[in-house]
Structures are given as C-alpha cells and as structure tokens.
Amino acid sequence: MGIMETSPYNTRYFKLAILFLISSSIVFQSRLSLSQFYFDNQTTKMTTPNSRVQNTTMKNTTVVSYSIDSIRKEAEILLAANNSASLPMPPKKTLVAFIHVGKTGGSSLSIILRNGCHSMKPKPCKSTVPSAYQKSAMSKLSTYYHIPDFENNLLFDNLKKKEQHKIVAMTLRDPFDRIVSAFVFHHPKNYILHAFEQFKMTSNYIKRLKELGSEQAVFQFREQKVKQQQKFQNLDTIYECFPTLEAFSTLLDASSNDSGKEIDLTKTPGNHSNFKRASVTLDSSKNVSDCKMAAKLAIGQYPWMGIELDHFRWGLQSLVKSSSIDQYPLLVMRKEHLKDDWVSVNKFFEPKKSVLQPPRQVRNFNKLMLPVTKELSPGGQKTICQALEEEYKVYFQLLDRALNIHDEEKIESMRYSQKRCPSLNLPK
C-alpha cells in the first residue's frame, strides 16, 4: 500500500497531488496558475502582513488534539522559566521534536541547539558556538533526532507517546538534490576525503602531522585506517555496481530489461530491529539484477533495507511510513532557505524576538576536489527524477503542511523542484 493510500491527508492535499503528479506521461491540458489551483479553498491567514508565521486557521494542521494556540502558550511558559544559556542535561520531554533528515543542512543547525546531538552521544552535548546561539526558542524547546535515533527506534517510540512532543520541526531539501548529495557523500572514493577533512579538525591531526612530517603522509596513514573499517568495505562493494552517478541512473531506468528476480522488501513486517539488521548481499559477479536491486534500495524504492547507505535509506518516505509525523503540527527548514527558515521557526514561538542566524556551514566540502562528482546527463537526471516520484509526493505533502512558510514560498520551492525535474509538470 503506497503513501497516497495510507497517509491521512485531507481533500486539500489531493488537489495538490493531482497538480503535482510526477509521472512523465501526464500532460496538463490546463495551465491554471499555481496559486489558483494548488491553494484553492486555502484558509490560511497570516499573523501580520510581513510575517512568515501562520496562525491556527490552517485547515490541515494536524490530527492530534494539540492546538497551535495551546502549543504557543506552553512555549511561552517554558521559555520564561528557562532564560539560562547554559547547557543543562536534556529534559525527558520537550515541546519540539527536531528531526534532522540526512543531507539537508541539519548539521549546521544542530550546533546551535542546546541538545543538538543524537542519543548515542554523551549528554550534555558539547557546544562549539558562542552561548548567544543557545538562547533561541528552538534551542531551548527541542529534542534533536538524527539517523542513529531512527535506527534505534527512539524517534518513532517517542512520537507514539503523544505527550513526549507536541510539534515536529524537520529539515528538508529538494529530493533530487538530496539523493545526488547522498550519492556523492557516500561514494568510497569521496568518503576517504570527507573522513580526512573531519580528522583535520581534531587535535590528533596535529599530533600525526608532527609525527609523520607532512599532510600527505598523514592522509596516507588515515586512508589505510579508513579502508580497514567495515563500513568502508561495505560501501566499496555496493559502489562497484554504480561507480558514477550516470551508472547509478542507468540502473534505475525502469524501461530497461531486468531478467533478475525481484524481491519486494516493502512487504517485510515493520519490525525496526529486523529492518536495521537486514542486509543485502551482492553476488560476486555483480550481475545486473543484483545491482539494479542495490540501486532501488539506495533510492528508497524499497525502504526496509539495511545496507550502509544510511543517508539514502532514511529519506522522507521511510520516515513518514515509520512514524506518526503526519499527526503533529509541522515546521520545516528548507536547505535552500536554511537561514530564513531558521528565523521563521523561532519566530513561530517568539514573534517579537530577534534571532541569530546559523554561524556557518558545518560540513562544507564544496572546495574539495572530489574524485567522483555530480556530473550527470539530462537523460540520467530524468531517470533519477522518475525514480523519486513517491519521494516528491511526500516532500510536497510536508511543504503543504508547514506552518512557518508563506504560500508564495511553498510555490517557490515547488518551482525549484520543477527546474530540477521538469517531468513534474508543474505550471510555469
């Protein structure tokens, strides 16, 4: 059963779904303006003409009993009682569940949260930024969740409790951009460089540099260490199937012949302990059916899998299917507008208070000369877009529900997606 059949979205979403069907075979006979069609019967009101924060009149806010007014009042009480910028132990319950989806810029926001580290890290979390950043509403009101918290069920269990959190904040990114970024990030040849750049930020790098005499010598030392890691070896095996992004797109081409046996892992029972321990073994001959399956697993077409591509695996489909995110009021922070959206989610709770923007991008590898790049043909781009059909549907659903961004900003994000994937057939 697919996303569209199981998610409790209202009539307003289905108008959106009709407009934004991903299938390239759909041709729209009418070119209604996006604002007329998509926001038909829209009842959203803005708190002030210039505000980016919407109030409680939004029709499809949530199916749980918490009203936006009650959440804001509770936030006001909590914030008034917690004016310290120190880093206390995280409370057992917080108002906000802050969900960091991989490759969406969430690391840049995690450093300005009081408790911006996942459950496997010691608490309180270490802070690397001035204390002024710890005074924001989101910093004080949030529990941070990232991939380890998806793997160990913590996020899903806490959202089931209903009283653990009362609103969800998520980082988002255009699905095509996110999957391409994940591909390049996980590629073993790039993985070595990424690992070395992170190592250079530690005190151990200085020690090794003095010991070995040059950066190149330290790199070679670290390269051998990384290659001995089981995760790297698993990635190396998987990426033999698709050494380039173009090769990856070819394996996702639904029109190509596939004589191999298809295994529908979506029918696997939703037992997360089995899910995270599942494995995909590729035949040593790397025949096309095995590699096609690996590509489908990576793209998220089969979410119940346990290969090492964790940033792939935990996309929007997997998160929504695995949790009750759709039952909570929603705030979003888009990678494409990260600083502005960070301000708007904070002003959702404290409209009159100024907000410090994120100080820097934590993982900025743009200046690195990576061995494997994002180079891709127009045909390859179209194939990946088609494979992301369901992911885009969920992405649009989440944008539609976001309380902290204008209708015009939602339209802007959707048109950005149209540029990435013209087969979405959005009105221009």
Side-chain angles (χ1 to χ4, degrees):
M1 187 173 290
I3 293 287
M4 295 295 291
E5 297 172 306
T6 59
S7 297
Y9 293 98
N10 63 9
T11 303
R12 178 169 176 264
Y13 169 69
F14 288 103
K15 292 181 180 180
L16 168 68
I18 292 171
L19 180 61
F20 297 111
L21 284 172
I22 311 289
S23 173
S24 60
S25 63
I26 298 295
V27 178
F28 286 95
Q29 299 300 318
S30 173
R31 281 295 184 182
L32 297 176
S33 73
L34 184 58
S35 59
Q36 288 175 326
F37 194 100
Y38 171 55
F39 296 109
D40 185 29
N41 296 324
Q42 171 65 270
T43 62
T44 302
K45 305 296 182 183
M46 309 307 292
T47 54
T48 67
N50 296 320
S51 172
R52 299 175 83 243
V53 180
Q54 301 174 359
N55 72 8
T56 58
T57 59
M58 192 165 191
K59 286 171 63 176
N60 64 338
T61 299
T62 182
V63 298
V64 297
S65 59
Y66 311 127
S67 72
I68 304 303
D69 283 340
S70 68
I71 290 173
R72 280 175 165 155
K73 288 178 181 178
E74 185 172 345
E76 184 178 357
I77 295 171
L78 292 170
L79 291 169
N82 188 3
N83 288 318
S84 171
S86 62
L87 294 175
M89 292 297 289
K92 293 182 179 180
K93 295 181 181 180
T94 60
L95 198 63
V96 183
F98 187 106
I99 302 175
H100 171 191
V101 182
K103 309 313 296 176
T104 59
S107 296
S108 297
L109 300 181
S110 69
I111 64 170
I112 53 178
L113 298 175
R114 287 189 177 192
N115 297 300
C117 57
H118 56 73
S119 60
M120 306 302 288
K121 295 285 187 179
K123 303 295 186 299
C125 304
K126 293 181 179 180
S127 176
T128 59
V129 297
S131 61
Y133 288 101
Q134 308 293 341
K135 295 181 180 180
S136 71
M138 285 294 290
S139 175
K140 295 177 181 180
L141 298 174
S142 299
T143 295
Y144 174 85
Y145 297 96
H146 194 32
I147 290 171
D149 308 308
F150 312 156
E151 296 281 2
N152 65 16
N153 285 350
L154 181 63
L155 170 65
F156 311 131
D157 290 343
N158 283 348
L159 289 180
K160 288 178 183 178
K161 295 176 182 178
K162 302 301 182 185
E163 293 297 327
Q164 187 75 24
H165 306 293
K166 294 185 179 179
I167 189 168
V168 166
M170 290 182 72
T171 56
L172 296 180
R173 186 178 188 176
D174 173 80
F176 176 82
D177 286 353
R178 196 190 80 83
I179 212 72
V180 169
S181 177
F183 178 92
V184 173
F185 177 80
H186 278 294
H187 199 291
K189 291 183 179 179
N190 296 341
Y191 184 85
I192 293 172
L193 286 181
H194 290 153
F196 183 65
E197 287 301 308
Q198 291 177 320
F199 178 71
K200 285 171 67 175
M201 300 176 188
T202 68
S203 58
N204 286 333
Y205 171 72
I206 303 299
K207 294 178 182 178
R208 288 294 179 186
L209 189 60
K210 292 180 179 178
E211 177 185 333
L212 300 175
S214 70
E215 181 172 313
Q216 181 62 27
V218 178
F219 176 81
Q220 292 174 348
F221 173 81
R222 290 297 304 170
E223 181 180 22
Q224 294 306 313
K225 289 288 186 182
V226 171
K227 286 183 176 180
Q228 293 172 10
Q229 297 174 4
Q230 187 62 51
K231 179 174 182 176
F232 175 86
Q233 293 172 11
N234 292 344
L235 285 173
D236 200 39
T237 299
I238 294 164
Y239 270 87
E240 285 183 34
C241 283
F242 28 79
T244 65
L245 191 57
E246 191 70 33
F248 180 66
S249 70
T250 300
L251 290 168
L252 291 171
D253 189 350
S255 64
S256 64
N257 294 327
D258 184 357
S259 57
K261 181 180 179 182
E262 292 286 346
I263 304 173
D264 189 357
L265 298 182
T266 60
K267 295 181 179 179
T268 302
N271 182 320
H272 296 289
S273 61
N274 290 337
F275 163 30
K276 67 179 181 178
R277 300 302 178 193
S279 62
V280 177
T281 302
L282 301 180
D283 186 88
S284 59
S285 64
K286 301 295 177 296
N287 65 59
V288 69
S289 63
D290 284 339
C291 287
K292 278 182 172 290
M293 180 58 66
K296 291 176 181 179
L297 291 168
I299 206 74
Q301 289 184 353
Y302 299 137
W304 307 113
M305 55 91 170
I307 58 179
E308 295 291 348
L309 309 177
D310 48 10
H311 284 89
F312 281 92
R313 176 167 72 249
W314 289 109
L316 301 181
Q317 290 182 78
S318 295
L319 284 171
V320 170
K321 282 185 176 181
S322 303
S323 71
S324 52
I325 289 172
D326 57 347
Q327 297 182 21
Y328 286 81
L330 181 68
L331 307 172
V332 302
M333 293 149 285
R334 300 161 295 167
K335 173 70 164 62
E336 299 83 5
H337 305 279
L338 201 61
K339 292 184 177 181
D340 289 339
D341 288 355
W342 172 251
V343 171
S344 74
V345 295
N346 279 282
K347 285 187 174 292
F348 180 86
F349 298 107
E350 295 183 308
K352 297 181 180 180
K353 187 174 180 179
S354 60
V355 182
L356 288 175
Q357 292 187 342
R360 59 186 175 87
Q361 189 172 343
V362 174
R363 292 177 177 175
N364 188 357
F365 298 126
N366 293 331
K367 295 181 180 180
L368 289 180
M369 298 296 292
L370 297 175
V372 180
T373 68
K374 299 178 181 180
E375 184 177 354
L376 185 64
S377 69
Q381 183 167 337
K382 181 178 180 180
T383 298
I384 293 177
C385 288
Q386 290 171 338
L388 288 169
E389 174 181 348
E390 295 300 319
E391 189 77 358
Y392 266 109
K393 288 179 182 179
V394 179
Y395 175 65
F396 290 148
Q397 290 168 357
L398 294 171
L399 280 178
D400 180 38
R401 294 181 52 229
L403 297 172
N404 61 303
I405 57 176
H406 277 308
D407 292 349
E408 292 82 1
E409 292 170 308
K410 296 175 184 179
I411 295 170
E412 180 183 2
S413 289
M414 293 172 188
R415 286 180 172 166
Y416 178 89
S417 294
Q418 182 185 29
K419 291 180 181 179
R420 285 290 182 263
C421 295
S423 60
L424 294 179
N425 288 315
L426 305 184
K428 297 181 180 179

